[in-house]
Amino acid sequence: MRKILITGALGQIGSELTEEMRRIYGSENVVASSRRIKEGHEKLIESGPFEIININDSATLASVVGKYKINTIVNLAAVLSAVGESDPQQCWHINMNGLYNVLEVAKEKNCMVYTPSSIAAFGPGTPKDKTPQDTIQRPTTMYGVTKVAGELLCDYYYKKFGVDTRGVRFPGLISYATLPGGGTTDYAVHIYYEALKNKKYTSFIQKGTYMDMMYMPDALRAIIDLIEANPDRLKHRNAFNVSAMSFEPEMLASSIKKFIPEFKLDYDVDPIRQEIAESWPNSLDDSAAREEWGWNPKYDLDAMTKDMLEKLRIKLNIQE
Ligand code: SER
């Protein structure tokens, strides 16, 4: 029986993953944790066990793992790319020292560890189109540095100590439940809110800038399916390329216009986030994930847009 601890459970991925895992594994078997209580998450906090954990405090982490007899840690506590560039020290501290604590506790207490990497683990020297699974990784952001180092550290703990570590390289994730916390791909979430509220959006990412993206239901499956994958089939562990779609802002706007014809897109480019975006791949080759554990995303751009707009209309209480 899985006993799961999710760190960063009130973030963009965590808030939806907690709900989905509680549905699959039973509420009492999924412990949500965050370094602080955030408003708007009362339902999640009350729907199962919840603990305050700062992943830089390894004693508390170890004691929660012991208290609930945790055997699987999903480590989602992280600082994203744009915020990471405004405070690189904090980004290193949480993403690297936090991951180190998680791995040490996992080693002591015999836990599997799932920790996501990102398209940010690649850099300007990486082949941009159909970026291979195994290729050059020389990122130029602190977030990216922590993601490559994290992939290596997780592989090391598997090889050296036998900790069952697994992860994927997530692209930009699009969801309606919880906003992302300061990434470069966030424009692709904000655009839906503004399309519904104001029928227009000003993009901080330049026209023509392609990045890989994924709708949250597929991202949740990428986590759960890899956790449940047969280890004998895994040639890679940390971390698998996964992708569902690759688009630039105009393509996203065209998709929205199919549902909101008056929608208008213009640009006010943020040089910092644009530089980050340009250092990342246009699209990933995710064939290793498909072969080794059956990765197969369900949502393309229009299917995602339809669902996002339907769900957000309800959330924001906006009529057609
Ligand atoms: N969505 C993330 C970011 O933009 C990429 O992993 O920082």
Side-chain angles (χ1 to χ4, degrees), residues 80-82 117-120 143 170-173 182-186 280:
L80 289 183
S81 60
S117 184
S118 161
I119 51 171
Y143 178 65
F170 272 132
L173 297 181
T184 301
T185 54
D186 298 12
W280 292 351

Side-chain angles (χ1 to χ4, degrees), residues 107-120:
K107 173 169 71 98
E108 294 309 315
K109 311 253 182 200
N110 244 325
C111 301
M112 169 196 260
V113 175
Y114 184 99
T115 203
S117 184
S118 161
I119 51 171

Side-chain angles (χ1 to χ4, degrees), residues 7 31 48 57 110 145 173 185 223 229-230 270 293 308-309:
T7 70
V31 181
D57 168 7
N110 244 325
V145 168
L173 297 181
T185 54
I223 296 175
N230 176 355
D270 168 12
W293 50 278
M308 262 306 268
L309 292 174

